Amino acid sequence: MISGSAAVQDRELYQQILGLKSPWTVSEVSLSLEQQQVDVFVEHPGGTKFCCPECDQSLPCYDHTAERQWRHLDSCQFKTILHASIPRVDCPTHGVKQVNVPWAQKGSRFTILFERFAVEVLLATQNVKGAMGILRTKWDQTWSIVERAVARGKARKQTRPVPHVGIDEKAFLKGQNYITLVYDLDHSTVEAISDGNDTEAGFQALSALSETQLQSIEAIAMDMSPAYVKAAKQAIPLAETKIVHDRFHIMQIATKAVDKVRRTEHRELVKEGDDRLSKTKYVWLTSQENLSEKQRTVFESTFDLQLKTGKAWAFKEMLRDLWGQDSAATATTYFQDWYKRVIHTNLEPMKSVARSIKERLDHVVSYCTHRITNGVAEGMNSKIMSIKRRVGGFRNRNNFKTAIFFYCGGLSLYPQ
Ligand SMILES: [Zn+2]
């Protein structure tokens, strides 16, 4: 306890630091050097009236809660703790209620200013454990700030039109457990998350959007799995004309097919003592513009249209031009020509890609109408993976979802 005029100054200083307004005043400031802590006690004069938190009616104080504590921003690197008993009023309509205090939100053990700072640190570090070190908070406390921020952000969120959305799955816990995410492709934000990766999960995630939002969807990007196609048809009006299979996803499948061809051919060649395809895997997987100098040399010396691998690679590259067509109609013609050539080869993995695209061609060439991809989702994947790593072992799926909304939800997270 600090006494004399110094005490008065301290009380005034903390009154300002805490931004306290009438009727609240600082009654006592006590400093513990040993604990490196400042305790600030706050009170109000007797006879003060308070408002019912439900209806704002001004009422006399009924009684007080036991003393509560709130962590505030450090002062001179000392942990600063605010102490007060919260008044309760007896409202004729709502009964006995605890009043709102100006320095903290209901249910929080932190002052608003501390929470604001904590959100800033969490966003800047993108790392809950790192933020704990800076804030000197425990895991549960830090996590409660994240949860409250997300709840706040969701409550405040205005529903805006979402003309371009994407839907995608994400593994949670090494590939055995999935969640489905819906993205706003124009704002690069995660709009909804559901458990699983089947039709029901897709439908659940899409249904989290409002009716107006679902009607505002002009196009939806997704991979070629039938589950999300079904889900989109269930949730989105006129979905048939709006589905766009992600071109990166399709090119990835085509690239994998080239690799399959290479592996088989390599085995055949090795039997004949020919090892020219050994150690060339990445040369065929990497797109031309991304090849390193060395890889390019290997590619140029190996590339041979007499090889099955060379042929498969050339077909894959031809397929790429599908997405450069002016319209869905020309893209369809382009594909049909490509398909005819591929289907008459003996490149089984490429043929299987060709059939797979043919089955859903409308939803592939629709790219030329809508020009969307799930690129945003891919970009966000790396962000989500790093969150997963940095937040550390999401045993709990809900925590994982909360972290995704915190970092990728585009929410307004700060307390006002
Ligand atoms: Zn009331």
Side-chain angles (χ1 to χ4, degrees):
M1 168 123 184
I2 304 162
S3 59
S5 63
V8 176
Q9 277 179 15
D10 271 9
R11 293 208 300 263
E12 282 171 0
L13 176 65
Y14 274 97
Q15 195 137 328
Q16 279 177 11
I17 289 174
L18 293 164
L20 289 184
K21 289 197 187 97
S22 171
W24 294 98
T25 56
V26 172
S27 63
E28 187 188 329
V29 178
S30 114
L31 177 75
S32 161
L33 288 174
E34 221 166 83
Q35 295 181 348
Q36 303 240 316
Q37 185 166 313
V38 183
D39 289 282
V40 182
F41 295 83
V42 170
E43 63 176 22
H44 64 85
T48 309
K49 285 191 159 188
F50 290 94
C51 294
C52 166
E54 306 285 334
C55 66
D56 252 6
Q57 190 183 341
S58 179
L59 298 157
C61 182
Y62 173 72
D63 64 358
H64 287 89
T65 64
E67 188 188 276
R68 298 274 162 85
Q69 301 187 4
W70 294 265
R71 169 93 184 271
H72 187 59
L73 296 173
D74 293 357
S75 22
C76 302
Q77 294 166 26
F78 279 33
K79 266 192 186 171
T80 302
I81 310 291
L82 192 154
H83 301 252
S85 298
I86 308 176
R88 301 201 303 167
V89 291
D90 187 6
C91 172
T93 319
H94 300 101
V96 176
K97 290 274 168 190
Q98 194 173 303
V99 309
N100 292 326
V101 291
W103 58 82
Q105 291 196 316
K106 206 176 162 191
S108 175
R109 289 173 290 173
F110 303 96
T111 66
I112 289 170
L113 284 174
F114 186 88
E115 250 184 80
R116 173 178 288 278
F117 177 63
V119 169
E120 214 159 285
V121 170
L122 282 158
L123 288 175
T125 56
Q126 301 226 338
N127 183 337
V128 176
K129 286 196 178 127
M132 281 163 63
I134 294 170
L135 298 167
R136 293 191 286 168
T137 45
K138 298 199 172 74
W139 168 268
D140 284 357
Q141 297 174 323
T142 321
W143 192 252
S144 78
I145 292 173
V146 172
E147 283 180 330
R148 293 162 50 75
V150 169
R152 212 161 32 228
K154 282 186 172 175
R156 281 184 201 153
K157 187 167 183 169
Q158 311 272 339
T159 55
R160 61 182 175 217
V162 282
H164 304 116
V165 296
I167 185 166
D168 195 18
E169 65 179 21
K170 176 134 310 305
F172 155 78
L173 286 184
K174 294 231 159 123
Q176 40 167 307
N177 226 316
Y178 286 90
I179 55 174
T180 294
L181 297 106
V182 172
Y183 304 92
D184 175 340
L185 298 179
D186 299 318
H187 292 87
S188 305
T189 51
V190 172
E191 294 296 302
I193 308 175
S194 67
D195 294 335
N197 61 348
D198 55 6
T199 303
E200 179 57 22
F203 181 74
Q204 287 296 333
L206 286 168
S207 301
L209 302 175
S210 74
E211 201 55 44
T212 329
Q213 282 182 310
L214 287 171
Q215 276 170 13
S216 74
I217 294 174
E218 291 167 17
I220 176 167
M222 62 179 72
D223 66 22
M224 296 204 286
S225 86
Y228 291 152
V229 172
K230 269 191 215 153
K233 286 181 182 169
Q234 283 170 17
I236 305 168
L238 304 171
E240 186 54 40
T241 59
K242 299 176 180 177
I243 294 167
V244 181
H245 288 309
D246 181 53
R247 73 181 164 110
F248 297 120
H249 173 76
I250 300 173
M251 281 309 293
Q252 204 176 33
I253 292 174
T255 305
K256 275 187 193 150
V258 174
D259 194 47
K260 252 191 190 168
V261 172
R262 181 197 59 82
R263 274 184 313 198
T264 313
E265 186 171 40
H266 178 50
R267 272 198 301 271
E268 288 164 3
L269 289 177
V270 165
K271 274 185 213 156
E272 296 159 18
D274 182 346
D275 69 346
R276 68 194 136 134
L277 285 177
S278 78
K279 294 182 183 154
T280 62
K281 177 173 177 178
Y282 291 99
V283 166
W284 303 102
L285 296 188
T286 313
S287 67
Q288 282 288 291
E289 63 272 20
N290 294 332
L291 286 178
S292 69
E293 215 33 54
K294 200 176 151 202
Q295 286 174 324
R296 185 173 298 278
T297 316
V298 176
F299 179 82
E300 277 161 10
S301 64
T302 320
F303 182 69
D304 180 349
L305 280 176
Q306 299 308 312
L307 285 175
K308 286 179 181 174
T309 310
K311 261 186 231 158
W313 180 89
F315 279 126
K316 178 200 72 171
E317 288 303 307
M318 269 172 74
L319 179 63
R320 195 187 293 283
D321 290 338
L322 175 83
W323 290 277
Q325 303 299 311
D326 291 337
S327 68
T330 53
T332 303
T333 313
Y334 184 88
F335 175 79
Q336 282 162 347
D337 181 53
W338 181 85
Y339 179 85
K340 249 180 257 163
R341 294 174 191 224
V342 173
I343 222 69
H344 290 114
T345 65
N346 55 359
L347 306 167
E348 286 311 322
M350 290 313 281
K351 284 158 81 170
S352 141
V353 173
R355 287 190 201 103
S356 183
I357 297 174
K358 192 183 176 207
E359 263 173 45
R360 24 177 97 71
L361 188 58
D362 286 349
H363 295 160
V364 175
V365 298
S366 56
Y367 171 85
C368 299
T369 311
H370 300 295
R371 308 262 162 205
I372 59 161
T373 70
N374 247 348
V376 164
E378 292 304 317
M380 222 169 315
N381 267 355
S382 58
K383 201 172 166 186
I384 291 169
M385 292 323 277
S386 99
I387 291 166
K388 199 161 150 184
R389 210 168 43 241
R390 283 163 151 175
V391 179
F394 280 104
R395 296 280 132 210
N396 179 331
R397 193 202 303 247
N398 283 332
N399 285 4
F400 186 37
K401 290 196 229 168
T402 302
I404 294 174
F405 278 122
F406 188 86
Y407 288 108
C408 310
L411 299 171
S412 149
L413 299 167
Y414 292 100
Q416 54 275 73

